[in-house]
Amino acid sequence: MKRSVLTRYRVMAFATAVMLLVLCTCMVAKYGFDTGADLTLVVSQVHGVLFMVYLVFAFDLSSKAKWSFGRMLWVMLSGTIPLAAFFVERQVRAEVEPLVVDGLATAEA
């Protein structure tokens, strides 16, 4: 598998996890302190778009890594649990890194 597949997944996992934490903060401000409704709307929409892209990249990675359906589902759902995506991304990187073939090694072979 190409390194770019893992890199795309890692970038989107990090971006989705950060935006989910920002969204949680905005939701606390909106419902707890009755402020920031407009910001919450924007952040929720940005997180939604990023999450959809994350799902596509997670599916691509899971199909190339030949994961079971349960493993794929867990990785996809980790983007909906605050802080979980950070830990799952670390596990995925450790598991998939040995499967990565660099472009130079492929070109020489």
Side-chain angles (χ1 to χ4, degrees):
M1 148 182 8
K2 293 182 182 179
R3 180 167 300 280
S4 63
V5 175
L6 179 59
T7 303
R8 284 188 308 223
Y9 164 77
R10 291 184 67 202
V11 167
M12 288 311 301
F14 184 76
T16 302
V18 168
M19 285 306 295
L20 182 58
L21 292 177
V22 172
L23 178 60
C24 289
T25 303
C26 289
M27 296 295 272
V28 168
K30 179 180 177 183
Y31 293 109
F33 301 104
D34 200 29
T35 184
D38 294 334
L39 180 62
T40 303
L41 176 66
V42 172
V43 170
S44 66
Q45 290 176 348
V46 170
H47 171 69
V49 170
L50 288 176
F51 184 68
M52 288 187 282
V53 175
Y54 168 78
L55 290 177
V56 170
F57 288 159
F59 179 78
D60 183 40
L61 179 68
S62 68
S63 65
K64 290 183 173 134
K66 299 188 184 343
W67 289 340
S68 67
F69 180 75
R71 174 80 172 146
M72 178 186 69
L73 191 62
W74 168 242
V75 169
M76 289 181 167
L77 287 177
S78 71
T80 64
I81 304 168
L83 298 176
F86 292 111
F87 297 106
V88 171
E89 183 274 330
R90 180 178 247 170
Q91 290 174 340
V92 166
R93 182 182 49 85
E95 179 183 325
V96 174
E97 191 76 32
L99 304 175
V100 171
V101 176
D102 289 328
L104 296 176
T106 306
E108 293 173 5

